[in-house]
Amino acid sequence: MAPSAPTAFAAPLSLPLPSSSFHGTTCVRRPRTRLPVVARRPAAAAAAAAAAPRMADDAGLALTPELGKLTSMFKAVPDAKLRYQQLLFFAKELAPMPDELKTPANKVPGCLSTVYLSATLDPEARTVSYVADSDAQLTKGLAALLLRGVNGCTPEEIAAIDPAFISESGLSVSLTPGRNNGFLNMLALVKSKAVALGAAADAGAATVAARDAPAADGGAPPANGAGAASASAASAAAAAAVEEDEEPDDPTAPVASAIRRKLGALRPSSLVVTDNSASHAGHAGARGLNGESHFKVSVVADAFDGLSAVKRHQVIYALLKDEMAGPIHALEIEARSVAEVASQT
């Protein structure tokens, strides 16, 4: 007998979505909880939803377990209106954000609405927790969706997330181009904060003074212990740094290009890399790679907000671990937060 046509959606739909708790300390699958949306799915949609988690994994998007589950659930929702209503429900469930955290350093750039996002790291569990808020309910729902997917995960897990999950979930066709861009900016800030917190934590109690003896011109190569401890965070950061608008690599200056690319993981509002190698041509260690050995980097980024000068240097040394172990003989660092720059103008 031929299968009957799908029935119209008329009754409330129950999707097996994650719990509303945003404060877990481990990145694990939580118990299935029923959340209300305004339609009932037929048998065919239910079967598709059951297979969806495997499809999200097969897409190779490096999603956290919760974000993979959410991506699959939204993909199973049949139309944009239902997705909107689920996002509005998430917005109502979003935990409040303290007003004192709504600072310029925590403001998401490039959003149609005002969005704030702050992150903290549990040093023992080494997991990140976020809080967020927005003055627009739909944007607030997008922030809540993202936080459900990343809270309680490690910096490496968060940094590895492929933004393509937004298309995989079906949300990209449900949102305006402006909101799509804002959602991507939210994800970018989530990742950059995780990278900065993870790199600073990995560097731990090490200080710039504890690194190998500085060169005569003031450069300081990283201590082996701190560099090794930061390797995983640095690798994740470098992978996260590939952005559509980044400068193309200069084949005549591979070291400078690598510095720009890897520090791009911090999503800086300003990044200036100066090659001072020519001024040190007669110094020991000045050979470098193609003569690239002495650099100054000036970085302005929200990721530095709340970090001491020492920890900011540790973050940069961690991101440039491979270069510091190889061609770079001396590195001068100027690292400031966006809020600090704004207060000085």
Side-chain angles (χ1 to χ4, degrees):
M1 182 175 64
S4 58
T7 57
F9 292 91
L13 167 66
S14 292
L15 290 181
L17 295 174
S19 71
S20 60
S21 171
F22 295 162
H23 303 288
T25 57
T26 55
C27 189
V28 297
R29 294 184 184 274
R30 298 188 178 93
R32 292 156 70 92
T33 305
R34 301 288 179 178
L35 296 180
V37 194
V38 292
R40 173 175 55 85
R41 58 185 173 185
R54 184 168 58 253
M55 290 190 296
D57 291 341
D58 291 344
L61 301 179
L63 304 183
T64 69
E66 290 295 341
L67 193 55
K69 185 188 300 182
L70 285 163
T71 298
S72 297
M73 293 305 107
F74 270 87
K75 186 174 182 178
V77 175
D79 61 54
K81 287 184 178 179
L82 296 178
R83 296 188 188 106
Y84 281 160
Q85 292 185 18
Q86 188 64 60
L87 289 172
L88 293 175
F89 178 84
F90 282 171
K92 292 179 182 178
E93 294 288 297
L94 184 62
M97 182 180 192
D99 288 340
E100 58 267 26
L101 295 179
K102 296 177 182 179
T103 64
N106 289 332
K107 187 175 181 180
V108 179
C111 285
L112 297 175
S113 308
T114 301
V115 187
Y116 292 100
L117 189 149
S118 178
T120 56
L121 182 77
D122 181 334
E124 294 186 2
R126 204 174 178 283
T127 54
V128 185
S129 295
Y130 297 86
V131 290
D133 196 13
S134 174
D135 58 359
Q137 285 300 103
L138 187 59
T139 305
K140 188 174 180 177
L142 290 169
L145 165 65
L146 190 54
L147 266 58
R148 284 171 176 258
V150 300
N151 266 341
C153 295
T154 67
E156 291 78 13
E157 290 171 320
I158 295 168
I161 293 171
D162 189 334
F165 84 88
I166 300 171
S167 298
E168 179 75 9
S169 69
L171 285 169
S172 61
V173 298
S174 302
L175 303 175
T176 64
R179 282 209 167 92
N180 258 312
N181 186 60
F183 196 21
L184 286 168
N185 288 339
M186 273 188 246
L187 176 61
L189 186 57
V190 162
K191 293 170 75 168
S192 69
K193 283 184 177 290
V195 167
L197 288 170
D202 282 344
T207 63
V208 174
R211 299 181 186 279
D212 292 343
D217 57 2
N224 292 336
S230 302
S232 57
S235 298
V242 179
E243 299 291 338
E244 290 183 0
D245 58 350
E246 75 174 11
E247 294 183 32
D249 284 358
D250 180 354
T252 66
V255 180
S257 295
I259 292 172
R260 291 189 188 93
R261 184 172 64 253
K262 293 186 177 182
L263 294 187
L266 298 171
R267 292 194 63 82
S269 60
S270 174
L271 172 59
V272 179
V273 179
T274 305
D275 185 351
N276 295 322
S277 303
S279 301
H280 303 274
H283 294 189
R287 291 188 300 275
L289 178 63
N290 294 333
E292 295 180 279
S293 58
H294 291 67
F295 289 90
K296 176 181 178 180
V297 294
S298 297
V299 192
V300 179
D302 283 331
F304 293 138
D305 190 52
L307 297 182
S308 67
V310 168
K311 288 195 176 294
R312 294 176 188 186
H313 285 217
Q314 291 168 351
V315 168
I316 291 173
Y317 279 127
L319 293 173
L320 301 180
K321 170 183 174 292
D322 292 339
E323 287 67 31
M324 294 305 301
I328 295 180
H329 177 63
L331 180 66
E332 181 183 350
I333 297 173
E334 181 183 54
R336 297 180 291 168
S337 70
V338 174
E340 287 170 343
V341 173
S343 68
Q344 294 167 3
T345 57

